[in-house]
Amino acid sequence: MVSPCASCGTVFAPRPSRARYCSNACRQRAYRRRSAGTSTVVAELPVHDDAFVGRERELAELLPLLREHRVVTLVGSAGVGKTRLAVELAGRARRTEVRTVELGKLSRPDQVVQAFAEAVGVYQRAGVALRTTLLAELGHRRVLLLVDNCEHLLEECCDVVDALLSRCPNVQVLATSREALQAVGEVVYPVHGMGEDAVRLFAERAGAPVDRDAVAAVCARLDGVPLAVELAAKLSGTVPPHELADRLDQRLDLLSDAGEPSRHRSLRAAVAWSHDLLTTPEQELFRRLALLPGGAGLEIAQVVHGGPVTGLLAALQAKSLVVRDDGRFRMLESVRLYAEERLREHGEYEVTAERIIAWLCEKGEPGVTSSILAPEQVKAHHQEYDNVAYAFARLVAPGDERRLMLATMLLRVCFDRGYFIEAGAVLMQVLHQSAADARYRVIALEYASLLAVQEERFDEAVKYALEAIAAAEESGGHLVMCRLYRTLAAAHDGAGDMPNTVWALRRSIEHGVRNGNEVSVAVSSQNLGWMLLVQGDVDGAGELVDGALPALRRHARPDVVSIAVHTSGCIALERGDVATAGARFAESARMSQSIPRAMLESIEGRGLVAMRSGRHEVGVRLLAACEQMRMAWVVPAEPWWRRKMTAALDDAREVLPRAAFTRALNAGRAMDVRHALETALDEEIVRDAVLSDRQRVVVELVARGLTNAQVAAKLGISHRTVESHVHNVKTALNLSSRAQLVAWARST
């Protein structure tokens, strides 16, 4: 009798007959999961500093609905607390994986699929529609998608949700919207005001003792709408609750007629009421933050205000006119638009816009004057992405050269995040509209080359890269030459032009050394090391990569370091140093585990190490898992690396009994990326050599004096397979000659 393993799903014949797990490793893995409680949950939900109040009845009704139905939509008016309730509900659902799809910032229907893809870590691939890749990725994942703020993109959101429900059997959707999605099988749950719990919410947000009767009167006048209650509570330190109740007739008619223009007038009145209670300095900062839709850190806030802001920001936060998120201060969009009206009213729009443009361009300047950005500079570009996009589209004049600088900042982030369609749109707006001698045109040409590589237009990629190099030489931009030649190398590599790839990388290193660009030289050295490794120059590759790693470890981003560490592991594997190779692949996997696609080669490396250590079934499982994920994510393996994996699987097919090989193959194909990573990082993958039964038979025949051809004939296998067995055994036992192998066999 056979049954599936309760941990990995592998079908096995349990001994004793009631065993639930196929191995000790699976038994220990299950124990760790039970011990950790929710340790296997991957939850990417908004984090709130304040407490969740009330809604116990709603949660008690919603939890069973979420267990029984695949799509549940929370429907209600603006400010009624749909999102906060959905986040709390998702947190209590205890699903394996939860991802948030935020649609509130989107303005175009074509951005909806991209928002879903970004939330689950799917990126655009050349020649494949993003929607197709998304459906393929989620076809084998068990995930709860919290889709927030759907109402302004209802039709497109419904279309994506219907496709996910029909094609991805383990995907569940929890949506928030002002109206139903009309999705197939949708359960709609209306969300209303908080009733008696609104008084508790007011007291909690006020942070001080309150007159409960007066607060109850205020909450009743506000229909218990959480947004309005919280605004009132934050102002209660300035205006007592009994005075607030008297002022509501004049100042607040909030969200009483959802979907009608009066709703917007009511929201404006609510913001105006809060604004009127600010001091003059607070009002000044409030309106000057209006042109920063991506939020403000302390530095940019001080720049736009022209003076100290710490106390003023704290006051605005206390009065709920800004919220703090990851160290940045943000306005709700409706609040920001009201602040922009006040900015124009005071004649400060142009001067504030100029301050923002100048500051953003200063942040982008290192991209023009250095061959590689420091991690903190890259982080700043990502943090300011929304502000840069707004400045690019709204604040800077079309003829202003600084618009090209803002475009290059957008392009840098677009490439990091996989927004290749948006990158192309930005390039179309600026590349052919800028003067040939524009200072920032070099970088735009560089990104045009990189985008062409991504889209497999390699001839164009080479053309753009050469044009960028020529423009840099003419303008004296020697500091970026190391990077530009590396871009040219990527274009030649994509075209399969190995000689020119190597030439361009050597030129990149020459320029980097001349200009003292240590980190950029290290990146180019790692790339050249990989090329030499592929060509069979293991020692040359090792010298380059070993020289590059110290600088990369000190200064480069983790994802860049992980690539070099992986290359180092490949070099060690080619040299037969299995222990070092295993350590390098494990290190690389840990460094890149936040980017599933970047982990694939390191997991595969651990699979090859497992096979070299005699653990062929584990190796097959890992390679099969990665092969399945590569197909789903459309991530082809580099040809040299693919040949290594193919040869390893061929060897395993010869070594393992057919049933064992098939079992390992199927188990691997059933793994998700996190299970594969956990298996790959198992310390027992690299251990004292344990020879398979077939390897022991081969060694015994070799010890008797048989040649490889004679062993092959006797066992009915190929001559190449015998050679592979002998090589793997010598590697596993750290032996360098056939004579040593014979001696070892006779001593055991």
Side-chain angles (χ1 to χ4, degrees):
M1 179 179 178
V2 296
S3 62
C5 172
S7 178
C8 70
T10 301
V11 176
F12 73 110
R15 295 180 182 178
S17 60
R18 299 180 66 182
R20 298 181 61 209
Y21 306 104
C22 66
S23 66
N24 285 334
C26 282
R27 183 178 296 106
Q28 292 167 3
R29 184 180 298 114
Y31 172 76
R32 288 195 298 270
R33 287 173 176 167
R34 291 194 303 272
S35 300
T38 60
S39 65
T40 58
V41 174
V42 177
E44 291 190 354
L45 294 169
V47 177
H48 299 277
D49 294 330
D50 48 26
F52 180 81
V53 177
R55 301 292 198 191
E56 294 302 325
R57 178 184 62 80
E58 290 91 336
L59 289 168
E61 294 172 352
L62 282 165
L63 281 168
L65 291 177
L66 201 59
R67 286 193 292 267
E68 296 167 9
H69 301 278
R70 293 188 61 201
V71 54
V72 176
T73 304
L74 308 187
V75 173
S77 60
V80 80
K82 302 181 296 297
T83 298
R84 193 68 189 271
L85 177 59
V87 169
E88 185 70 14
L89 177 62
R92 299 188 186 191
R94 299 177 64 86
R95 289 293 299 267
T96 302
E97 183 178 7
V98 182
R99 301 283 175 173
T100 300
V101 183
E102 174 54 62
L103 303 182
K105 293 182 179 180
L106 306 188
S107 58
R108 304 195 314 270
D110 61 342
Q111 295 174 312
V112 172
V113 172
Q114 183 173 294
F116 276 83
E118 182 179 356
V120 298
V122 172
Y123 300 96
Q124 183 77 47
R125 295 294 167 188
V128 181
L130 183 57
R131 178 187 173 112
T132 301
T133 307
L134 172 68
L135 294 174
E137 159 67 5
L138 293 182
H140 62 278
R141 276 169 65 177
R142 181 176 177 82
V143 58
L144 171 63
L145 299 178
L146 196 169
V147 188
D148 197 24
N149 297 314
C150 305
E151 58 274 352
H152 62 305
L153 295 165
L154 209 60
E155 183 177 345
E156 296 75 21
C157 185
C158 178
D159 184 48
V160 175
V161 169
D162 279 342
L164 288 170
L165 294 178
S166 65
R167 298 275 298 278
C168 308
N170 294 315
V171 169
Q172 189 175 19
V173 173
L174 172 62
T176 71
S177 180
R178 295 179 192 176
E179 58 182 297
L181 302 182
Q182 303 298 330
V184 176
E186 178 186 25
V187 173
V188 177
Y189 187 92
V191 180
H192 305 293
M194 295 185 68
E196 294 180 358
D197 282 335
V199 177
R200 289 175 52 206
L201 178 64
F202 188 109
E204 197 280 335
R205 298 297 188 260
V210 295
D211 181 340
R212 295 189 65 84
D213 290 338
V215 168
V218 169
C219 293
R221 294 288 304 278
L222 297 174
D223 297 320
V225 173
L227 175 61
V229 170
E230 290 186 348
L231 283 169
K234 295 298 183 182
L235 291 166
S236 62
T238 305
V239 182
H242 66 275
E243 293 185 22
L244 286 176
D246 293 337
R247 297 183 62 177
L248 291 181
D249 283 341
Q250 305 167 17
R251 285 298 201 167
L252 190 60
D253 183 18
L254 183 62
L255 304 174
S256 60
D257 191 11
E260 295 298 323
S262 62
R263 172 171 59 91
H264 300 290
R265 289 197 296 270
S266 297
L267 190 54
R268 180 178 288 109
V271 179
W273 170 47
S274 301
H275 171 267
D276 291 348
L277 295 172
L278 298 177
T279 65
T280 298
E282 290 168 357
Q283 289 183 353
E284 290 174 350
L285 176 59
F286 171 74
R287 63 179 178 262
R288 291 168 187 171
L289 294 175
L291 304 183
L292 295 169
L298 288 176
E299 184 181 355
I300 181 60
Q302 186 161 317
V303 167
V304 298
H305 187 54
V309 294
T310 305
L312 297 175
L313 283 170
L316 293 177
Q317 181 185 3
K319 296 170 183 177
S320 293
L321 288 170
V322 299
V323 294
R324 192 167 187 178
D325 177 22
D326 292 333
R328 295 173 66 81
F329 295 88
R330 302 178 185 273
M331 289 180 172
L332 298 176
E333 182 64 11
S334 56
V335 174
R336 190 190 67 77
L337 292 174
Y338 178 86
E340 185 177 333
E341 291 179 356
R342 304 283 74 75
L343 189 70
R344 293 181 184 276
E345 182 182 273
H346 284 78
E348 298 174 351
Y349 185 94
E350 287 75 16
V351 67
T352 302
E354 178 58 32
R355 288 175 179 176
I356 291 171
I357 294 167
W359 184 83
L360 290 174
C361 287
E362 180 184 340
K363 290 298 177 183
E365 188 65 25
V368 184
T369 57
S370 68
S371 262
I372 196 163
L373 295 182
E376 60 271 15
Q377 292 170 326
V378 175
K379 181 180 179 182
H381 283 203
H382 280 263
Q383 286 180 329
E384 301 299 336
Y385 177 79
D386 290 334
N387 291 332
V388 175
Y390 185 81
F392 175 77
R394 304 277 188 89
L395 303 184
V396 68
D400 191 329
E401 185 179 279
R402 294 176 301 175
R403 192 164 187 262
L404 191 54
M405 161 61 91
L406 296 174
T408 64
M409 296 175 70
L410 290 177
L411 290 167
R412 192 178 308 280
V413 178
C414 284
F415 271 79
D416 281 352
R417 296 181 179 179
Y419 297 170
F420 299 116
I421 293 176
E422 289 193 7
V426 171
L427 281 167
M428 286 182 63
Q429 291 184 60
V430 299
L431 192 57
H432 302 297
Q433 298 175 8
S434 60
D437 59 349
R439 182 166 181 257
Y440 308 124
R441 182 176 170 80
V442 170
I443 309 175
L445 288 167
E446 178 188 11
Y447 278 108
S449 176
L450 292 171
L451 182 62
V453 169
Q454 175 66 32
E455 296 177 348
E456 299 183 0
R457 296 180 284 110
F458 301 119
D459 290 342
E460 289 183 51
V462 171
K463 178 180 74 71
Y464 281 128
L466 289 172
E467 190 177 343
I469 290 170
E473 288 175 341
E474 186 174 342
S475 64
H478 301 295
L479 293 176
V480 295
M481 282 298 192
C482 181
R483 189 179 76 215
L484 294 181
Y485 272 102
R486 191 164 57 243
T487 299
L488 177 60
H492 283 309
D493 183 37
D497 187 345
M498 183 72 74
N500 273 325
T501 301
V502 172
W503 169 81
L505 287 171
R506 293 195 187 280
R507 290 284 288 158
S508 172
I509 293 169
E510 289 172 10
H511 279 281
V513 170
R514 186 179 306 140
N515 295 318
N517 296 330
E518 180 188 22
V519 181
S520 193
V521 167
V523 173
S524 294
S525 296
Q526 125 69 32
N527 293 356
L528 180 56
W530 176 262
M531 292 296 162
L532 295 182
L533 177 64
V534 169
Q535 291 177 319
D537 185 359
V538 179
D539 291 337
E543 183 178 349
L544 283 167
V545 175
D546 289 345
L549 269 172
L552 294 175
R553 290 187 190 279
R554 286 194 303 271
H555 302 297
R557 291 155 42 187
D559 59 320
V560 175
V561 182
S562 70
I563 294 171
V565 172
H566 176 269
T567 303
S568 178
C570 293
I571 293 168
L573 199 64
E574 287 297 281
R575 288 171 169 169
D577 187 351
V578 177
T580 299
R584 292 285 189 271
F585 291 137
E587 180 186 1
S588 178
R590 291 188 182 96
M591 294 180 75
S592 56
Q593 60 184 313
S594 62
I595 311 173
R597 282 159 185 74
M599 287 192 298
L600 288 177
E601 289 188 341
S602 297
I603 293 173
E604 289 163 343
R606 291 286 287 182
L608 295 179
V609 166
M611 292 183 179
R612 294 284 185 92
S613 299
R615 303 190 67 193
H616 289 86
E617 290 194 48
V618 174
V620 171
R621 283 162 58 191
L622 291 175
L623 295 190
C626 291
E627 181 182 34
Q628 192 80 359
M629 286 181 275
R630 283 185 181 278
M631 292 174 60
W633 297 340
V634 197
V635 184
E638 196 277 338
W640 180 85
W641 187 240
R642 185 173 62 248
R643 289 194 296 271
K644 293 291 179 185
M645 292 186 292
T646 300
L649 286 172
D650 288 344
D651 289 343
R653 191 178 282 105
E654 292 283 353
V655 168
L656 294 171
R658 180 178 299 178
F661 181 83
T662 302
R663 183 171 60 247
L665 206 64
N666 292 335
R669 289 169 177 167
M671 283 183 175
D672 61 21
V673 66
R674 299 182 189 282
H675 186 184
L677 176 63
E678 186 177 321
T679 302
L681 294 180
D682 186 340
E683 293 180 359
E684 291 189 7
I685 278 183
V686 183
R687 64 182 185 186
D688 293 337
V690 177
L691 304 186
S692 67
D693 292 341
R694 176 57 61 86
Q695 286 175 327
R696 289 189 176 278
V697 171
V698 169
V699 170
E700 182 181 343
L701 294 175
V702 169
R704 292 180 191 172
L706 274 66
T707 65
N708 286 354
Q710 291 170 328
V711 173
K714 188 172 185 64
L715 296 180
I717 57 179
S718 70
H719 183 272
R720 189 181 68 81
T721 299
V722 175
E723 287 181 343
S724 177
H725 282 315
V726 172
H727 172 77
N728 289 341
V729 169
K730 287 195 295 183
T731 299
L733 300 176
N734 198 25
L735 304 175
S736 59
S737 68
R738 194 178 184 92
Q740 288 178 334
L741 178 61
V742 172
W744 178 86
R746 290 173 178 171
S747 67
T748 57

